[in-house]
Amino acid sequence: MPLPLRPIAALGRTVLALLQGAGSLALFGLEGLSHLLRPPFYGRQFLAAFLEFAFYSLPVVALTAIFSGMVIALQSYTGFARFNAQSAIASIVVLSVVRELGPVLAGLMVAGRLGAAMAAELGTMRVTDQIDALTTLSTNPMKYLVAPRLFAGIVALPLLVAVADLLGVMGGFLVATVKLGFNAHAYASDTIGFVQTSDVVVGLAKAAVFGFLIALMGCYNGYRSKGGAQGVGSATTSAVVSASILVLAFDFILTEMFFSR
């Protein structure tokens, strides 16, 4: 191949590889979702994944949400005090937490915790031929391993984000009333009066999408891993990085869809 054409060929191979990966991921996700609509449903697998998503991830998400709400209140006060607009702090805190920081931070924390765990678990099962053994035992691996995790992510993360929203707003309330000297009743009234039902609903809808993406990337990278221990490590890293990027990318897409008007 002539030297001037080599960069173009390399770019073409990269684009084709990206398209192939995106198509493979989409087919994997659709297949996993399709198994949710057909029996049997493995309730024990779903419950175990749900507990990992919702219960065992609660401490790290709760701490992240509380301190994020506190920081938003402090930073908002520092900026708004220059314009004598301190009364807007309550609205800024509740909107920031409910619309963006609650779903996004919870998604990133869960992606780091569970995306890696799912990829490592399924990757280990793949390289030790346990997934092939399930097929030998007439058990569909997608239905047994992937579908319950996808469903758990869709159901559990909105519940986790609802708690994170409450704790984040509470963190801002504590800083505003204890440190900054706001009237507690007035701050609470401003918070309740400003937030709308659509803000909460869209934030929870974002969380459901993020939960699906986190479970999808963890299962996809683990299910397709190969090459022994090194392959499992690469799958774990890819799961966390790709899930985090998709959470941020889809946050922009969903925000553009619902809040840009």
Side-chain angles (χ1 to χ4, degrees):
M1 180 180 295
L3 184 60
L5 295 180
R6 290 180 182 177
I8 299 176
L11 178 62
R13 286 193 296 268
T14 302
V15 172
L16 289 176
L18 289 175
L19 292 176
Q20 183 181 8
S24 176
L25 177 62
L27 291 175
F28 185 88
L30 290 174
E31 184 181 357
L33 289 175
S34 69
H35 285 292
L36 293 175
L37 306 177
R38 294 174 289 172
F41 180 73
Y42 294 98
R44 183 174 296 179
Q45 292 293 108
F46 166 76
L47 182 60
F50 180 85
L51 289 176
E52 286 291 339
F53 264 99
F55 184 74
Y56 296 118
S57 299
L58 183 59
V60 63
V61 172
L63 289 173
T64 303
I66 289 175
F67 287 116
S68 297
M70 290 180 174
V71 169
I72 294 171
L74 286 175
Q75 292 286 16
S76 300
Y77 182 82
T78 302
F80 289 171
R82 302 174 184 177
F83 308 100
N84 294 321
Q86 296 92 327
S87 59
I89 290 177
S91 61
I92 293 297
V93 170
V94 69
L95 285 184
S96 299
V97 170
V98 171
R99 285 186 176 186
E100 296 297 328
L101 289 183
V104 171
L105 290 179
L108 292 176
M109 292 298 104
V110 174
R113 182 182 179 276
L114 276 183
M118 284 189 290
E121 182 181 357
L122 269 64
T124 302
M125 294 181 70
R126 170 61 72 186
V127 299
T128 56
D129 297 326
Q130 295 181 54
I131 293 180
D132 296 332
L134 287 175
T135 305
T136 304
L137 296 172
S138 300
T139 300
N140 191 316
M142 291 292 294
K143 181 177 285 293
Y144 185 76
L145 297 175
V146 177
R149 287 171 169 81
L150 295 179
F151 189 45
I154 294 171
V155 174
L157 201 62
L159 301 177
L160 198 62
V161 168
V163 177
D165 290 345
L166 181 62
L167 293 176
V169 173
M170 185 181 299
F173 173 82
L174 291 175
V175 168
T177 55
V178 175
K179 181 176 178 58
L180 303 178
F182 281 69
N183 179 271
H185 182 269
Y187 186 94
S189 299
D190 290 342
T191 298
I192 297 172
F194 197 85
V195 68
Q196 298 180 359
T197 304
S198 60
D199 298 326
V200 179
V201 171
V202 172
L204 297 180
K206 283 185 177 183
V209 175
F210 296 164
F212 170 75
L213 294 173
I214 292 166
L216 175 63
M217 298 313 300
C219 293
Y220 177 78
N221 286 281
Y223 195 87
R224 295 172 59 87
S225 65
K226 55 185 177 180
Q230 184 176 2
V232 174
S234 299
T236 302
T237 303
S238 298
V240 175
V241 173
S242 57
S244 301
I245 292 174
L246 285 177
V247 164
L248 296 174
F250 273 82
D251 178 56
F252 171 76
I253 294 171
L254 294 173
T255 301
E256 177 69 21
M257 289 173 57
F258 291 108
F259 295 122
S260 63
R261 299 179 181 88

